[in-house]
Amino acid sequence: MKSVWITFFLLAGMLLGLPASSVAQDVNTNVTVHVVQRGETLYRISLQYSVSIDTIVAFNSIADPTNIQVGQRLLIPLNDAAQPKIPATHTVQAGETVRSIAGLYGLTVEELASRNNLVNVDTIYVGQVLNIDLPATVTPSPVPATEAVPIVDPEEQAPELLYTVQGGDTLFRIATRFGLTVNDLARANNVADPTLIYRGQQLIIPGVKAPQLALDLPAVVSRFEVYPLIFVEGETGRFRLSTVTPMRISGTFLNQNLSVATDQTGMIDTILVGVPIFTDVGIYPLALTLTDSGGQVTFLNINIQVLAGGYGRESISLLSNRADLLAPDLEASEQLILQDVMGNFTPTRYFDGPMSLPAAASISSPFGRKRSYNGGPFDRFHSGTDFAGAPGTPVMAAAPGYVVFAGQLDVRGNATIIDHGWGVYTGYWHQTQLYVKVGDYVNMGQIIGTVGSTGRVTGPHLHWEMWVNGVPVDPMQWVQESFS
């Protein structure tokens, strides 16, 4: 057996161009092969395997420890204190179950449920953080040195982690979180100005592998994505499925019948949903039904967490001659008009990437705030974002699409509505002039009218509104994130 160990080390040494003596010094040491990834240093590699830099340098006869190359293969000696690390927690992804996650970490379903106080294992939800805390007895052992250690190209390694920028993030804060420098992140993502990142932007985290997945999807589903992992009331969420054959998909979420956009292959389906304002914090089921061409039906159920938006409240004083526009029946009839226009689904997508701002003006009132008009109760909410533009300020289309309404409304004044496809609509209220008509196709940034004070207003401004799948949502989320 000893001769087999020595043979392995000699072969590995020849492959890596090492002196035979340097790799045959300790035939009782297990080894693994590490392929250097972009952004890695010997320091970070040493932390990953719990071995010293000096040990890696000596084991690989590295002349300059500051100069290692992407794709370089390093022999890493492992000992009892350097077992592959098991994370303390696991964040549930779409398509994972308690059974599949338990199997990933060598646990039983009962053990994982007990560590997380799960009474019902079917109630886990996307984005939930599960406690793993594996005892040493179930820690996987490294690959014995007597077994063939596959050496693969960097392209065949697990993909690097993609991080989605959150509100309040800076490049420095993200870099610190992953033990990197700002320059590491900027170089990996071609960021010219490190001060300019936006919510929803996806950044490559160099040298950090994406977490392992424990998918337990039906055989007809090859991939399932939920973005973002945790939904927020008043915001937009996206589901995307990849299937092995074209499927007809239907489903419900938050008491909404879902509309599905399918690509040309028929095997990638996208579902956009609006989370209604005032949705209670909780876990809600997404129920999908997939039917193939032969009529075979597959059911897919995923639990989604919804958090509160925390929008606050504000008091509004209308112009003296506009108080009659608060009449409930007037509001209800106008709401029916909007529902009739903005509640439809166009299977063609006209938007691509984040939307642009509809006016070059400051925001005077954000989406979602509960409102009191003229000293009354806080029984209404702000269904869009207000821009305090001066009269005559240009109003611009936030994204490409077709004009489906251009006219006068009582509460919303002179209004334009644009259909951007996939159930996404934007509305532009209180304008003075309208420059487009129904049926016109407009491009992003095209001037469609001017800011005014028509309808129920306190003064000149643009109210910008967005509906997704028949639900008003925060349009500013679409400025910061892409749902295409």
Side-chain angles (χ1 to χ4, degrees):
M1 177 62 70
K2 183 175 181 180
S3 63
V4 173
W5 283 68
I6 294 176
T7 301
F8 169 79
F9 283 111
L10 290 175
L11 289 174
M14 294 172 63
L15 175 65
L16 296 169
L18 306 179
S21 60
S22 69
V23 294
Q25 291 175 352
D26 184 1
V27 296
N28 293 316
T29 300
N30 292 331
V31 298
T32 189
V33 176
H34 179 89
V35 181
V36 178
Q37 303 296 299
R38 181 175 53 185
E40 285 190 324
T41 64
L42 277 184
Y43 173 72
R44 296 195 63 233
I45 297 171
S46 71
L47 291 180
Q48 180 177 344
Y49 293 98
S50 298
V51 297
S52 69
I53 295 177
D54 290 341
T55 299
I56 299 177
V57 168
F59 211 75
N60 293 273
S61 298
I62 298 175
D64 182 1
T66 66
N67 184 23
I68 58 175
Q69 306 297 319
V70 174
Q72 183 175 349
R73 295 164 174 80
L74 300 176
L75 285 175
I76 308 295
L78 301 176
N79 51 47
D80 291 340
Q83 305 296 333
K85 295 183 179 179
I86 300 299
T89 61
H90 179 95
T91 301
V92 179
Q93 306 293 310
E96 294 184 326
T97 62
V98 168
R99 182 187 65 181
S100 63
I101 296 170
L104 178 64
Y105 297 111
L107 296 171
T108 66
V109 170
E110 292 74 19
E111 287 173 326
L112 186 58
S114 175
R115 295 177 188 198
N116 292 276
N117 298 316
L118 298 177
V119 178
N120 184 348
V121 296
D122 294 325
T123 59
I124 66 169
Y125 53 88
V126 174
Q128 183 176 0
V129 178
L130 296 178
N131 180 42
I132 304 300
D133 285 333
L134 284 175
T137 55
V138 296
T139 302
S141 300
V143 178
T146 52
E147 296 182 10
V149 179
I151 297 180
V152 296
D153 291 331
E155 291 77 13
E156 297 176 354
Q157 297 290 301
E160 290 178 304
L161 179 67
L162 282 178
Y163 176 80
T164 302
V165 178
Q166 308 296 313
D169 273 342
T170 64
L171 213 58
F172 174 76
R173 182 176 299 175
I174 298 170
T176 302
R177 183 178 305 167
F178 292 100
L180 302 171
T181 67
V182 171
N183 285 337
D184 289 335
L185 285 184
R187 284 196 302 268
N189 294 277
N190 296 320
V191 176
D193 186 347
T195 66
L196 295 179
I197 60 174
Y198 56 88
R199 180 182 175 187
Q201 181 178 0
Q202 289 196 317
L203 299 175
I204 295 173
I205 307 300
V208 179
K209 300 295 187 299
Q212 285 185 285
L213 297 179
L215 299 181
D216 194 13
L217 294 168
V220 296
V221 180
S222 58
R223 187 174 183 181
F224 188 85
E225 302 173 7
V226 175
Y227 177 81
L229 288 181
I230 297 175
F231 288 5
V232 176
E233 59 151 333
E235 293 192 355
T236 301
R238 184 186 69 200
F239 306 114
R240 181 164 286 161
L241 298 85
S242 297
T243 56
V244 296
T245 60
M247 309 286 287
R248 185 174 72 255
I249 299 176
S250 61
T252 59
F253 179 66
L254 293 174
N255 298 317
Q256 303 174 40
N257 290 321
L258 303 179
S259 297
V260 182
T262 305
D263 77 337
Q264 293 180 347
T265 69
M267 294 187 291
I268 299 178
D269 299 280
T270 301
I271 302 170
L272 297 178
V273 296
V275 181
I277 198 81
F278 307 132
T279 298
D280 292 333
V281 171
I283 310 301
Y284 295 89
L286 165 70
L288 297 177
T289 301
L290 294 72
T291 308
D292 64 17
S293 58
Q296 183 68 35
V297 176
T298 301
F299 298 101
L300 180 59
N301 297 287
I302 303 290
N303 292 325
I304 303 296
Q305 184 180 24
V306 175
L307 298 182
Y311 296 109
R313 55 174 59 189
E314 63 186 359
S315 297
I316 301 296
S317 296
L318 295 176
L319 295 177
S320 58
N321 60 344
R322 310 291 173 92
D324 58 330
L325 297 178
L326 291 170
D329 57 341
L330 186 65
E331 287 187 331
S333 63
E334 192 163 302
Q335 191 69 18
L336 289 176
I337 295 175
L338 296 186
Q339 190 69 50
D340 185 58
V341 176
M342 304 174 79
N344 297 308
F345 180 81
T346 302
T348 302
R349 173 174 60 87
Y350 306 114
F351 64 90
D352 185 17
M355 293 195 174
S356 65
L357 293 175
S362 60
I363 294 176
S364 56
S365 179
F367 169 89
R369 286 182 174 176
K370 289 185 177 180
R371 279 186 163 183
S372 164
Y373 283 94
N374 294 343
F378 289 90
D379 58 355
R380 295 175 173 86
F381 83 98
H382 193 216
S383 56
T385 300
D386 286 349
F387 292 82
T393 299
V395 174
M396 297 168 286
Y402 282 94
V403 176
V404 291
F405 183 91
Q408 186 174 16
L409 297 170
D410 292 324
V411 176
R412 291 158 180 82
N414 291 329
T416 304
I417 299 175
I418 301 174
D419 178 5
H420 304 287
W422 282 14
V424 179
Y425 293 80
T426 52
Y428 309 77
W429 314 151
H430 311 307
Q431 297 176 78
T432 296
Q433 294 180 295
L434 305 179
Y435 293 158
V436 292
K437 64 184 184 301
V438 173
D440 287 350
Y441 181 83
V442 295
N443 292 302
M444 177 186 289
Q446 180 177 332
I447 298 176
I448 60 174
T450 59
V451 171
S453 56
T454 56
R456 192 173 70 190
V457 296
T458 60
H461 72 281
L462 170 69
H463 174 107
W464 183 38
E465 193 158 314
M466 171 175 283
W467 286 37
V468 174
N469 197 42
V471 175
V473 296
D474 185 359
M476 292 305 295
Q477 182 190 12
W478 281 71
V479 175
Q480 300 165 325
E481 303 174 28
S482 173
F483 289 92
S484 55

